[in-house]
Every structure is written in structure tokens, then in C-alpha cells.
Amino acid sequence: MKTNIKRLFLVVLATPLFALADQTCLTTVEPSTAGTDFSLDEADGSIVTHTRTGLVWQRCLAGQTYNDNGTSTNFGDDTCDDSPDSLTWEAALALANADPVWRLPNVKELATINEQRCINPAQNTAVFIDQSDGRDTGFHTLWTASPSSANATESWVWDTSGGNSDSQLRTGTAQVRLVRDGS
């Protein structure tokens, strides 16, 4: 009996924490960001248009490489390879400003792609697939273009784990999901 308990204890210790915390969704509530609310915007599937807002989103976070796994019309088998970049707010703005098409979303825009019935992460994981890297949990703090009105050294960030916003010092780091206006 003691040997079995020791084995169980070792298995638990050896299991990564993110493997223990799967996405949890209320199945009795309609999805707020169903897959049908998005259309593939590129032949390779790397970006989607949110049909309710008209905003066009990159499916992977900055620093990740999109992989459609050979089926560009199927959301289900897509992955984002590599780990996302962790950037300061100024570096995130510089990244967004390097391409005149893309920009940092504001906090209200990020809220529109939040899956309100889910946590860990609070996003449609078939559409926004940035958690697929084996070392990556899918829980990210995302920079927004929204400055904090309470403190000039802070900006708003979006937490994909619980789907909420908070302010953070601009010298801290977070990840980036770029957006553009639809045509």
C-alpha cells in the first residue's frame, strides 16, 4: 500500500500543472464566441474575421508560427508552434507599428473575443490556438492599446485564463495578439 501511495505521489509531482487544469466550460450556456462567429480570412487559415464585429485577428500570438497541418479549412487540427514573445508595452507598440495594417487591440476589442462560458482559457481554443505548444499553458496576459487613466505608467492587459482585464506597469511583459479593421 505504501508503495502505491509513493508511486501516485511521484506521478502527481511529475505531471505538469497545466495538464491538470483543462479548459472548463458551462455546457448549458450558449457560446459567446462560437466557431461559426469566425471566418477564415487567409488561404492558409492564419487569420480570422470575427463576423459580429468585422475585426480581423491573428490566430497565433506574436512570436508563434501558424501551422494548418495540411488542412487550411479545418480549425480543429491547427497549431501555433513555438512560444509567444513576452514584450514590454513599448516593444508591443513598436511591433504593431512596424506593419501599417496591424495594431494592438484596445481592451474592449479583446473583450469581444472572450468566451464568456469558459475559463482556463476563456477563449475559443479552436479559433485561437496559441496554447498548442507543449510548454505553453494557453494562459496569457495580452497587451492592449488602452492606457490606464489612473496611472500614466500603466496600460490595460487582458488575461486569457479568466477573461478579465487589469492594468499593468508598461515595463512589465505580456504577449501580443494583433488585430486590424475589416475591409
Side-chain angles (χ1 to χ4, degrees):
M1 179 70 168
K2 285 185 182 182
T3 303
N4 288 341
I5 291 173
K6 284 181 183 177
R7 268 193 216 136
L8 177 61
F9 183 72
L10 290 174
V11 168
V12 170
L13 282 180
T15 304
L17 287 178
F18 63 85
L20 297 174
D22 290 335
Q23 183 181 46
T24 303
C25 298
L26 295 172
T27 57
T28 57
V29 176
E30 288 292 316
S32 60
T33 58
T36 55
D37 291 345
F38 296 89
S39 62
L40 292 173
D41 198 53
E42 292 289 323
D44 70 356
S46 65
I47 62 175
V48 292
T49 299
H50 189 211
T51 56
R52 288 191 292 128
T53 63
L55 294 172
V56 179
W57 294 91
Q58 290 184 353
R59 294 180 69 201
C60 296
L61 299 175
Q64 293 183 307
T65 304
Y66 172 76
N67 183 351
D68 73 4
N69 286 307
T71 56
S72 61
T73 58
N74 177 7
F75 280 149
D77 68 347
D78 299 346
T79 60
C80 291
D81 299 331
D82 308 313
S83 294
D85 293 336
S86 290
L87 304 170
T88 64
W89 188 71
E90 286 188 16
L93 282 178
L95 174 76
N97 291 335
D99 185 332
V101 174
W102 296 101
R103 62 181 171 79
L104 277 182
N106 65 47
V107 70
K108 290 180 181 180
E109 290 170 331
L110 273 171
T112 67
I113 61 169
N114 179 55
E115 179 49 66
Q116 297 174 3
R117 70 186 186 115
C118 299
I119 59 169
N120 297 329
Q123 63 186 19
N124 182 320
T125 57
V127 175
F128 298 103
I129 50 176
D130 46 292
Q131 71 285 347
S132 64
D133 186 328
R135 300 163 301 202
D136 190 0
T137 62
F139 309 146
H140 301 286
T141 302
L142 305 177
W143 282 118
T144 76
S146 304
S148 170
S149 59
N151 187 334
T153 64
E154 295 181 348
S155 288
W156 286 98
V157 291
W158 189 264
D159 169 32
T160 65
S161 175
N164 54 359
S165 60
D166 200 358
S167 60
Q168 175 173 301
L169 285 172
R170 293 177 180 175
T171 55
T173 60
Q175 286 78 43
V176 174
R177 182 180 309 286
L178 295 175
V179 68
R180 71 178 189 217
D181 297 318
S183 49

mmCIF file of all heavy atoms in Angstrom, residues 5-56:
data_model
loop_
_atom_site.group_PDB
_atom_site.id
_atom_site.type_symbol
_atom_site.label_atom_id
_atom_site.label_comp_id
_atom_site.label_asym_id
_atom_site.label_seq_id
_atom_site.Cartn_x
_atom_site.Cartn_y
_atom_site.Cartn_z
ATOM 1 N N ILE A 5 1.051 4.433 -2.848
ATOM 2 C CA ILE A 5 0.898 5.844 -2.486
ATOM 3 C C ILE A 5 2.115 6.625 -2.947
ATOM 4 O O ILE A 5 1.991 7.718 -3.495
ATOM 5 C CB ILE A 5 0.664 6.006 -0.963
ATOM 6 C CG1 ILE A 5 -0.715 5.443 -0.604
ATOM 7 C CG2 ILE A 5 0.776 7.465 -0.536
ATOM 8 C CD1 ILE A 5 -1.002 5.393 0.874
ATOM 9 N N LYS A 6 3.307 6.063 -2.769
ATOM 10 C CA LYS A 6 4.522 6.736 -3.228
ATOM 11 C C LYS A 6 4.506 6.901 -4.740
ATOM 12 O O LYS A 6 4.856 7.945 -5.265
ATOM 13 C CB LYS A 6 5.758 5.950 -2.805
ATOM 14 C CG LYS A 6 6.102 6.097 -1.339
ATOM 15 C CD LYS A 6 7.350 5.303 -1.015
ATOM 16 C CE LYS A 6 7.650 5.381 0.472
ATOM 17 N NZ LYS A 6 8.815 4.559 0.830
ATOM 18 N N ARG A 7 4.078 5.878 -5.478
ATOM 19 C CA ARG A 7 4.000 5.973 -6.931
ATOM 20 C C ARG A 7 3.014 7.053 -7.357
ATOM 21 O O ARG A 7 3.292 7.848 -8.243
ATOM 22 C CB ARG A 7 3.560 4.630 -7.525
ATOM 23 C CG ARG A 7 4.705 3.763 -7.877
ATOM 24 C CD ARG A 7 4.277 2.596 -8.735
ATOM 25 N NE ARG A 7 5.101 1.482 -8.311
ATOM 26 C CZ ARG A 7 4.688 0.263 -8.096
ATOM 27 N NH1 ARG A 7 3.429 -0.044 -8.283
ATOM 28 N NH2 ARG A 7 5.507 -0.665 -7.702
ATOM 29 N N LEU A 8 1.848 7.093 -6.725
ATOM 30 C CA LEU A 8 0.848 8.100 -7.037
ATOM 31 C C LEU A 8 1.416 9.495 -6.770
ATOM 32 O O LEU A 8 1.270 10.408 -7.574
ATOM 33 C CB LEU A 8 -0.427 7.871 -6.209
ATOM 34 C CG LEU A 8 -1.535 8.910 -6.404
ATOM 35 C CD1 LEU A 8 -2.001 8.919 -7.854
ATOM 36 C CD2 LEU A 8 -2.686 8.621 -5.479
ATOM 37 N N PHE A 9 2.093 9.669 -5.654
ATOM 38 C CA PHE A 9 2.690 10.947 -5.296
ATOM 39 C C PHE A 9 3.722 11.358 -6.348
ATOM 40 O O PHE A 9 3.758 12.507 -6.780
ATOM 41 C CB PHE A 9 3.329 10.856 -3.904
ATOM 42 C CG PHE A 9 3.914 12.150 -3.430
ATOM 43 C CD1 PHE A 9 3.098 13.193 -3.049
ATOM 44 C CD2 PHE A 9 5.290 12.323 -3.367
ATOM 45 C CE1 PHE A 9 3.625 14.392 -2.616
ATOM 46 C CE2 PHE A 9 5.827 13.516 -2.943
ATOM 47 C CZ PHE A 9 5.001 14.555 -2.558
ATOM 48 N N LEU A 10 4.555 10.432 -6.801
ATOM 49 C CA LEU A 10 5.562 10.742 -7.814
ATOM 50 C C LEU A 10 4.920 11.088 -9.154
ATOM 51 O O LEU A 10 5.383 11.977 -9.858
ATOM 52 C CB LEU A 10 6.533 9.579 -7.965
ATOM 53 C CG LEU A 10 7.481 9.356 -6.785
ATOM 54 C CD1 LEU A 10 8.286 8.076 -6.995
ATOM 55 C CD2 LEU A 10 8.399 10.547 -6.613
ATOM 56 N N VAL A 11 3.857 10.402 -9.525
ATOM 57 C CA VAL A 11 3.159 10.705 -10.767
ATOM 58 C C VAL A 11 2.578 12.108 -10.710
ATOM 59 O O VAL A 11 2.688 12.892 -11.654
ATOM 60 C CB VAL A 11 2.062 9.657 -11.063
ATOM 61 C CG1 VAL A 11 1.158 10.120 -12.185
ATOM 62 C CG2 VAL A 11 2.691 8.319 -11.390
ATOM 63 N N VAL A 12 1.967 12.476 -9.604
ATOM 64 C CA VAL A 12 1.401 13.813 -9.449
ATOM 65 C C VAL A 12 2.500 14.860 -9.530
ATOM 66 O O VAL A 12 2.365 15.881 -10.192
ATOM 67 C CB VAL A 12 0.595 13.936 -8.132
ATOM 68 C CG1 VAL A 12 0.221 15.382 -7.857
ATOM 69 C CG2 VAL A 12 -0.649 13.066 -8.197
ATOM 70 N N LEU A 13 3.638 14.623 -8.872
ATOM 71 C CA LEU A 13 4.741 15.573 -8.916
ATOM 72 C C LEU A 13 5.318 15.710 -10.317
ATOM 73 O O LEU A 13 5.739 16.786 -10.723
ATOM 74 C CB LEU A 13 5.857 15.150 -7.959
ATOM 75 C CG LEU A 13 5.636 15.444 -6.488
ATOM 76 C CD1 LEU A 13 6.832 14.958 -5.679
ATOM 77 C CD2 LEU A 13 5.414 16.921 -6.253
ATOM 78 N N ALA A 14 5.341 14.637 -11.069
ATOM 79 C CA ALA A 14 5.929 14.655 -12.403
ATOM 80 C C ALA A 14 4.978 15.217 -13.458
ATOM 81 O O ALA A 14 5.392 15.517 -14.570
ATOM 82 C CB ALA A 14 6.350 13.244 -12.798
ATOM 83 N N THR A 15 3.707 15.394 -13.145
ATOM 84 C CA THR A 15 2.723 15.885 -14.099
ATOM 85 C C THR A 15 2.767 17.404 -14.134
ATOM 86 O O THR A 15 2.656 18.044 -13.102
ATOM 87 C CB THR A 15 1.302 15.430 -13.690
ATOM 88 O OG1 THR A 15 1.300 14.012 -13.588
ATOM 89 C CG2 THR A 15 0.273 15.888 -14.708
ATOM 90 N N PRO A 16 2.944 18.008 -15.319
ATOM 91 C CA PRO A 16 2.940 19.467 -15.395
ATOM 92 C C PRO A 16 1.597 20.022 -14.913
ATOM 93 O O PRO A 16 0.547 19.440 -15.156
ATOM 94 C CB PRO A 16 3.126 19.751 -16.889
ATOM 95 C CG PRO A 16 3.666 18.487 -17.463
ATOM 96 C CD PRO A 16 3.169 17.373 -16.592
ATOM 97 N N LEU A 17 1.642 21.183 -14.264
ATOM 98 C CA LEU A 17 0.422 21.764 -13.725
ATOM 99 C C LEU A 17 -0.608 22.066 -14.790
ATOM 100 O O LEU A 17 -1.798 21.883 -14.581
ATOM 101 C CB LEU A 17 0.751 23.040 -12.939
ATOM 102 C CG LEU A 17 1.425 22.827 -11.601
ATOM 103 C CD1 LEU A 17 1.742 24.165 -10.965
ATOM 104 C CD2 LEU A 17 0.558 21.996 -10.678
ATOM 105 N N PHE A 18 -0.151 22.529 -15.972
ATOM 106 C CA PHE A 18 -1.135 22.867 -16.991
ATOM 107 C C PHE A 18 -1.882 21.645 -17.490
ATOM 108 O O PHE A 18 -2.974 21.748 -18.009
ATOM 109 C CB PHE A 18 -0.507 23.653 -18.148
ATOM 110 C CG PHE A 18 0.540 22.911 -18.916
ATOM 111 C CD1 PHE A 18 0.210 22.059 -19.940
ATOM 112 C CD2 PHE A 18 1.885 23.093 -18.610
ATOM 113 C CE1 PHE A 18 1.182 21.392 -20.651
ATOM 114 C CE2 PHE A 18 2.861 22.432 -19.325
ATOM 115 C CZ PHE A 18 2.510 21.577 -20.347
ATOM 116 N N ALA A 19 -1.329 20.464 -17.332
ATOM 117 C CA ALA A 19 -2.034 19.252 -17.746
ATOM 118 C C ALA A 19 -3.175 18.937 -16.790
ATOM 119 O O ALA A 19 -4.114 18.247 -17.144
ATOM 120 C CB ALA A 19 -1.070 18.078 -17.821
ATOM 121 N N LEU A 20 -3.089 19.446 -15.572
ATOM 122 C CA LEU A 20 -4.138 19.194 -14.591
ATOM 123 C C LEU A 20 -5.290 20.170 -14.727
ATOM 124 O O LEU A 20 -6.378 19.934 -14.220
ATOM 125 C CB LEU A 20 -3.560 19.286 -13.163
ATOM 126 C CG LEU A 20 -2.487 18.260 -12.819
ATOM 127 C CD1 LEU A 20 -1.911 18.566 -11.441
ATOM 128 C CD2 LEU A 20 -3.051 16.860 -12.877
ATOM 129 N N ALA A 21 -5.071 21.301 -15.373
ATOM 130 C CA ALA A 21 -6.079 22.351 -15.467
ATOM 131 C C ALA A 21 -6.553 22.477 -16.912
ATOM 132 O O ALA A 21 -6.016 23.254 -17.672
ATOM 133 C CB ALA A 21 -5.499 23.667 -14.977
ATOM 134 N N ASP A 22 -7.534 21.691 -17.308
ATOM 135 C CA ASP A 22 -8.097 21.768 -18.646
ATOM 136 C C ASP A 22 -9.124 22.883 -18.702
ATOM 137 O O ASP A 22 -9.669 23.304 -17.684
ATOM 138 C CB ASP A 22 -8.771 20.446 -19.019
ATOM 139 C CG ASP A 22 -7.769 19.325 -19.239
ATOM 140 O OD1 ASP A 22 -6.611 19.627 -19.572
ATOM 141 O OD2 ASP A 22 -8.145 18.157 -19.059
ATOM 142 N N GLN A 23 -9.405 23.323 -19.920
ATOM 143 C CA GLN A 23 -10.435 24.334 -20.101
ATOM 144 C C GLN A 23 -11.749 23.814 -19.531
ATOM 145 O O GLN A 23 -12.120 22.659 -19.729
ATOM 146 C CB GLN A 23 -10.602 24.667 -21.579
ATOM 147 C CG GLN A 23 -11.607 25.766 -21.814
ATOM 148 C CD GLN A 23 -11.787 26.085 -23.280
ATOM 149 O OE1 GLN A 23 -11.927 25.178 -24.103
ATOM 150 N NE2 GLN A 23 -11.787 27.365 -23.604
ATOM 151 N N THR A 24 -12.445 24.669 -18.812
ATOM 152 C CA THR A 24 -13.738 24.339 -18.234
ATOM 153 C C THR A 24 -14.786 25.268 -18.826
ATOM 154 O O THR A 24 -14.617 26.488 -18.787
ATOM 155 C CB THR A 24 -13.717 24.515 -16.701
ATOM 156 O OG1 THR A 24 -12.667 23.703 -16.163
ATOM 157 C CG2 THR A 24 -15.035 24.123 -16.092
ATOM 158 N N CYS A 25 -15.845 24.684 -19.378
ATOM 159 C CA CYS A 25 -16.916 25.474 -19.986
ATOM 160 C C CYS A 25 -18.265 25.022 -19.452
ATOM 161 O O CYS A 25 -18.476 23.828 -19.217
ATOM 162 C CB CYS A 25 -16.916 25.308 -21.499
ATOM 163 S SG CYS A 25 -15.415 25.876 -22.316
ATOM 164 N N LEU A 26 -19.156 25.972 -19.279
ATOM 165 C CA LEU A 26 -20.532 25.649 -18.910
ATOM 166 C C LEU A 26 -21.258 25.202 -20.169
ATOM 167 O O LEU A 26 -21.464 25.996 -21.095
ATOM 168 C CB LEU A 26 -21.229 26.869 -18.308
ATOM 169 C CG LEU A 26 -20.675 27.376 -16.988
ATOM 170 C CD1 LEU A 26 -21.332 28.693 -16.605
ATOM 171 C CD2 LEU A 26 -20.890 26.338 -15.902
ATOM 172 N N THR A 27 -21.626 23.950 -20.224
ATOM 173 C CA THR A 27 -22.257 23.415 -21.434
ATOM 174 C C THR A 27 -23.721 23.824 -21.557
ATOM 175 O O THR A 27 -24.306 23.679 -22.622
ATOM 176 C CB THR A 27 -22.149 21.880 -21.463
ATOM 177 O OG1 THR A 27 -22.738 21.355 -20.270
ATOM 178 C CG2 THR A 27 -20.692 21.443 -21.554
ATOM 179 N N THR A 28 -24.307 24.346 -20.489
ATOM 180 C CA THR A 28 -25.701 24.772 -20.523
ATOM 181 C C THR A 28 -25.849 26.213 -21.003
ATOM 182 O O THR A 28 -26.969 26.710 -21.121
ATOM 183 C CB THR A 28 -26.333 24.647 -19.119
ATOM 184 O OG1 THR A 28 -25.562 25.426 -18.199
ATOM 185 C CG2 THR A 28 -26.376 23.189 -18.680
ATOM 186 N N VAL A 29 -24.727 26.878 -21.290
ATOM 187 C CA VAL A 29 -24.745 28.262 -21.749
ATOM 188 C C VAL A 29 -24.288 28.301 -23.200
ATOM 189 O O VAL A 29 -23.341 27.607 -23.577
ATOM 190 C CB VAL A 29 -23.810 29.127 -20.863
ATOM 191 C CG1 VAL A 29 -23.735 30.549 -21.377
ATOM 192 C CG2 VAL A 29 -24.262 29.088 -19.415
ATOM 193 N N GLU A 30 -24.969 29.103 -24.016
ATOM 194 C CA GLU A 30 -24.584 29.239 -25.420
ATOM 195 C C GLU A 30 -23.202 29.894 -25.524
ATOM 196 O O GLU A 30 -22.902 30.817 -24.764
ATOM 197 C CB GLU A 30 -25.603 30.112 -26.167
ATOM 198 C CG GLU A 30 -26.935 29.437 -26.394
ATOM 199 C CD GLU A 30 -26.826 28.271 -27.366
ATOM 200 O OE1 GLU A 30 -26.154 28.408 -28.404
ATOM 201 O OE2 GLU A 30 -27.414 27.215 -27.071
ATOM 202 N N PRO A 31 -22.365 29.456 -26.451
ATOM 203 C CA PRO A 31 -21.046 30.079 -26.623
ATOM 204 C C PRO A 31 -21.171 31.549 -27.008
ATOM 205 O O PRO A 31 -22.044 31.916 -27.794
ATOM 206 C CB PRO A 31 -20.414 29.285 -27.766
ATOM 207 C CG PRO A 31 -21.198 28.039 -27.882
ATOM 208 C CD PRO A 31 -22.580 28.343 -27.374
ATOM 209 N N SER A 32 -20.304 32.373 -26.456
ATOM 210 C CA SER A 32 -20.291 33.791 -26.832
ATOM 211 C C SER A 32 -19.380 34.028 -28.030
ATOM 212 O O SER A 32 -19.492 35.061 -28.691
ATOM 213 C CB SER A 32 -19.857 34.658 -25.650
ATOM 214 O OG SER A 32 -18.557 34.305 -25.224
ATOM 215 N N THR A 33 -18.479 33.105 -28.308
ATOM 216 C CA THR A 33 -17.597 33.195 -29.480
ATOM 217 C C THR A 33 -17.538 31.841 -30.180
ATOM 218 O O THR A 33 -16.495 31.204 -30.258
ATOM 219 C CB THR A 33 -16.169 33.648 -29.092
ATOM 220 O OG1 THR A 33 -15.646 32.719 -28.143
ATOM 221 C CG2 THR A 33 -16.140 35.044 -28.534
ATOM 222 N N ALA A 34 -18.666 31.413 -30.674
ATOM 223 C CA ALA A 34 -18.738 30.120 -31.373
ATOM 224 C C ALA A 34 -17.869 30.154 -32.615
ATOM 225 O O ALA A 34 -17.636 31.220 -33.205
ATOM 226 C CB ALA A 34 -20.188 29.822 -31.755
ATOM 227 N N GLY A 35 -17.406 28.995 -33.035
ATOM 228 C CA GLY A 35 -16.604 28.894 -34.246
ATOM 229 C C GLY A 35 -17.314 29.469 -35.459
ATOM 230 O O GLY A 35 -16.674 30.006 -36.364
ATOM 231 N N THR A 36 -18.643 29.393 -35.468
ATOM 232 C CA THR A 36 -19.415 29.934 -36.586
ATOM 233 C C THR A 36 -19.410 31.464 -36.613
ATOM 234 O O THR A 36 -19.833 32.052 -37.602
ATOM 235 C CB THR A 36 -20.862 29.426 -36.525
ATOM 236 O OG1 THR A 36 -21.416 29.762 -35.242
ATOM 237 C CG2 THR A 36 -20.937 27.924 -36.737
ATOM 238 N N ASP A 37 -18.929 32.108 -35.538
ATOM 239 C CA ASP A 37 -18.809 33.568 -35.500
ATOM 240 C C ASP A 37 -17.533 34.054 -36.189
ATOM 241 O O ASP A 37 -17.278 35.257 -36.243
ATOM 242 C CB ASP A 37 -18.783 34.080 -34.058
ATOM 243 C CG ASP A 37 -20.117 33.929 -33.342
ATOM 244 O OD1 ASP A 37 -21.136 33.702 -34.020
ATOM 245 O OD2 ASP A 37 -20.127 34.040 -32.107
ATOM 246 N N PHE A 38 -16.723 33.124 -36.694
ATOM 247 C CA PHE A 38 -15.445 33.466 -37.312
ATOM 248 C C PHE A 38 -15.361 32.853 -38.692
ATOM 249 O O PHE A 38 -15.833 31.751 -38.924
ATOM 250 C CB PHE A 38 -14.280 32.943 -36.456
ATOM 251 C CG PHE A 38 -14.217 33.579 -35.100
ATOM 252 C CD1 PHE A 38 -14.903 33.024 -34.029
ATOM 253 C CD2 PHE A 38 -13.489 34.736 -34.896
ATOM 254 C CE1 PHE A 38 -14.861 33.607 -32.779
ATOM 255 C CE2 PHE A 38 -13.445 35.327 -33.647
ATOM 256 C CZ PHE A 38 -14.121 34.768 -32.587
ATOM 257 N N SER A 39 -14.745 33.587 -39.608
ATOM 258 C CA SER A 39 -14.488 33.027 -40.930
ATOM 259 C C SER A 39 -12.998 33.138 -41.209
ATOM 260 O O SER A 39 -12.347 34.101 -40.799
ATOM 261 C CB SER A 39 -15.290 33.771 -41.998
ATOM 262 O OG SER A 39 -14.908 35.133 -42.053
ATOM 263 N N LEU A 40 -12.475 32.119 -41.888
ATOM 264 C CA LEU A 40 -11.068 32.138 -42.270
ATOM 265 C C LEU A 40 -10.855 33.262 -43.265
ATOM 266 O O LEU A 40 -11.613 33.399 -44.224
ATOM 267 C CB LEU A 40 -10.660 30.804 -42.890
ATOM 268 C CG LEU A 40 -10.633 29.620 -41.937
ATOM 269 C CD1 LEU A 40 -10.379 28.334 -42.711
ATOM 270 C CD2 LEU A 40 -9.580 29.810 -40.869
ATOM 271 N N ASP A 41 -9.844 34.067 -43.030
ATOM 272 C CA ASP A 41 -9.632 35.242 -43.857
ATOM 273 C C ASP A 41 -8.463 35.087 -44.818
ATOM 274 O O ASP A 41 -8.284 35.893 -45.697
ATOM 275 C CB ASP A 41 -9.417 36.457 -42.944
ATOM 276 C CG ASP A 41 -9.627 37.764 -43.666
ATOM 277 O OD1 ASP A 41 -10.691 37.934 -44.284
ATOM 278 O OD2 ASP A 41 -8.714 38.599 -43.632
ATOM 279 N N GLU A 42 -7.654 34.097 -44.630
ATOM 280 C CA GLU A 42 -6.498 33.859 -45.489
ATOM 281 C C GLU A 42 -6.574 32.419 -45.986
ATOM 282 O O GLU A 42 -7.127 31.552 -45.328
ATOM 283 C CB GLU A 42 -5.193 34.042 -44.708
ATOM 284 C CG GLU A 42 -4.927 35.470 -44.284
ATOM 285 C CD GLU A 42 -4.574 36.382 -45.449
ATOM 286 O OE1 GLU A 42 -3.886 35.939 -46.383
ATOM 287 O OE2 GLU A 42 -5.002 37.538 -45.417
ATOM 288 N N ALA A 43 -5.972 32.178 -47.114
ATOM 289 C CA ALA A 43 -5.979 30.832 -47.673
ATOM 290 C C ALA A 43 -5.339 29.833 -46.718
ATOM 291 O O ALA A 43 -5.746 28.678 -46.661
ATOM 292 C CB ALA A 43 -5.253 30.822 -49.011
ATOM 293 N N ASP A 44 -4.369 30.278 -45.920
ATOM 294 C CA ASP A 44 -3.701 29.348 -45.007
ATOM 295 C C ASP A 44 -4.385 29.250 -43.644
ATOM 296 O O ASP A 44 -3.986 28.453 -42.812
ATOM 297 C CB ASP A 44 -2.226 29.711 -44.847
ATOM 298 C CG ASP A 44 -2.005 31.005 -44.061
ATOM 299 O OD1 ASP A 44 -2.987 31.678 -43.693
ATOM 300 O OD2 ASP A 44 -0.832 31.335 -43.809
ATOM 301 N N GLY A 45 -5.394 30.056 -43.365
ATOM 302 C CA GLY A 45 -6.114 29.973 -42.098
ATOM 303 C C GLY A 45 -5.454 30.683 -40.941
ATOM 304 O O GLY A 45 -5.887 30.549 -39.801
ATOM 305 N N SER A 46 -4.420 31.474 -41.181
ATOM 306 C CA SER A 46 -3.672 32.105 -40.089
ATOM 307 C C SER A 46 -4.387 33.282 -39.443
ATOM 308 O O SER A 46 -4.029 33.694 -38.345
ATOM 309 C CB SER A 46 -2.295 32.548 -40.568
ATOM 310 O OG SER A 46 -2.427 33.568 -41.549
ATOM 311 N N ILE A 47 -5.379 33.822 -40.127
ATOM 312 C CA ILE A 47 -6.164 34.913 -39.540
ATOM 313 C C ILE A 47 -7.650 34.641 -39.745
ATOM 314 O O ILE A 47 -8.040 33.912 -40.654
ATOM 315 C CB ILE A 47 -5.762 36.294 -40.100
ATOM 316 C CG1 ILE A 47 -6.011 36.388 -41.595
ATOM 317 C CG2 ILE A 47 -4.325 36.620 -39.767
ATOM 318 C CD1 ILE A 47 -5.734 37.764 -42.165
ATOM 319 N N VAL A 48 -8.440 35.204 -38.842
ATOM 320 C CA VAL A 48 -9.885 35.031 -38.905
ATOM 321 C C VAL A 48 -10.575 36.384 -38.788
ATOM 322 O O VAL A 48 -10.048 37.316 -38.172
ATOM 323 C CB VAL A 48 -10.407 34.102 -37.780
ATOM 324 C CG1 VAL A 48 -9.950 32.680 -37.990
ATOM 325 C CG2 VAL A 48 -10.013 34.611 -36.409
ATOM 326 N N THR A 49 -11.754 36.455 -39.378
ATOM 327 C CA THR A 49 -12.608 37.625 -39.217
ATOM 328 C C THR A 49 -13.714 37.271 -38.243
ATOM 329 O O THR A 49 -14.373 36.235 -38.391
ATOM 330 C CB THR A 49 -13.219 38.053 -40.571
ATOM 331 O OG1 THR A 49 -12.164 38.395 -41.456
ATOM 332 C CG2 THR A 49 -14.157 39.241 -40.400
ATOM 333 N N HIS A 50 -13.878 38.109 -37.231
ATOM 334 C CA HIS A 50 -14.979 37.955 -36.289
ATOM 335 C C HIS A 50 -16.188 38.608 -36.956
ATOM 336 O O HIS A 50 -16.246 39.833 -37.095
ATOM 337 C CB HIS A 50 -14.625 38.630 -34.962
ATOM 338 C CG HIS A 50 -15.584 38.354 -33.877
ATOM 339 N ND1 HIS A 50 -15.842 39.244 -32.873
ATOM 340 C CD2 HIS A 50 -16.365 37.280 -33.606
ATOM 341 C CE1 HIS A 50 -16.720 38.743 -32.032
ATOM 342 N NE2 HIS A 50 -17.048 37.546 -32.473
ATOM 343 N N THR A 51 -17.133 37.794 -37.392
ATOM 344 C CA THR A 51 -18.233 38.291 -38.216
ATOM 345 C C THR A 51 -19.143 39.272 -37.473
ATOM 346 O O THR A 51 -19.757 40.126 -38.100
ATOM 347 C CB THR A 51 -19.061 37.121 -38.781
ATOM 348 O OG1 THR A 51 -19.515 36.302 -37.708
ATOM 349 C CG2 THR A 51 -18.224 36.290 -39.743
ATOM 350 N N ARG A 52 -19.216 39.177 -36.151
ATOM 351 C CA ARG A 52 -20.073 40.101 -35.394
ATOM 352 C C ARG A 52 -19.472 41.499 -35.290
ATOM 353 O O ARG A 52 -20.204 42.474 -35.229
ATOM 354 C CB ARG A 52 -20.373 39.551 -34.004
ATOM 355 C CG ARG A 52 -21.331 38.361 -34.043
ATOM 356 C CD ARG A 52 -21.840 37.960 -32.680
ATOM 357 N NE ARG A 52 -20.759 37.396 -31.869
ATOM 358 C CZ ARG A 52 -20.448 37.801 -30.642
ATOM 359 N NH1 ARG A 52 -21.105 38.766 -30.071
ATOM 360 N NH2 ARG A 52 -19.468 37.215 -29.986
ATOM 361 N N THR A 53 -18.140 41.616 -35.258
ATOM 362 C CA THR A 53 -17.502 42.930 -35.108
ATOM 363 C C THR A 53 -16.827 43.411 -36.380
ATOM 364 O O THR A 53 -16.546 44.605 -36.509
ATOM 365 C CB THR A 53 -16.425 42.895 -33.998
ATOM 366 O OG1 THR A 53 -15.394 41.981 -34.390
ATOM 367 C CG2 THR A 53 -17.025 42.494 -32.664
ATOM 368 N N GLY A 54 -16.526 42.502 -37.301
ATOM 369 C CA GLY A 54 -15.795 42.847 -38.504
ATOM 370 C C GLY A 54 -14.294 42.948 -38.294
ATOM 371 O O GLY A 54 -13.551 43.225 -39.227
ATOM 372 N N LEU A 55 -13.826 42.710 -37.071
ATOM 373 C CA LEU A 55 -12.396 42.777 -36.786
ATOM 374 C C LEU A 55 -11.693 41.525 -37.283
ATOM 375 O O LEU A 55 -12.243 40.425 -37.221
ATOM 376 C CB LEU A 55 -12.155 42.950 -35.286
ATOM 377 C CG LEU A 55 -12.624 44.268 -34.687
ATOM 378 C CD1 LEU A 55 -12.504 44.241 -33.162
ATOM 379 C CD2 LEU A 55 -11.825 45.427 -35.264
ATOM 380 N N VAL A 56 -10.475 41.697 -37.759
ATOM 381 C CA VAL A 56 -9.668 40.608 -38.282
ATOM 382 C C VAL A 56 -8.544 40.350 -37.282
ATOM 383 O O VAL A 56 -7.808 41.267 -36.904
ATOM 384 C CB VAL A 56 -9.091 40.962 -39.670
ATOM 385 C CG1 VAL A 56 -8.230 39.832 -40.209
ATOM 386 C CG2 VAL A 56 -10.218 41.303 -40.643
#
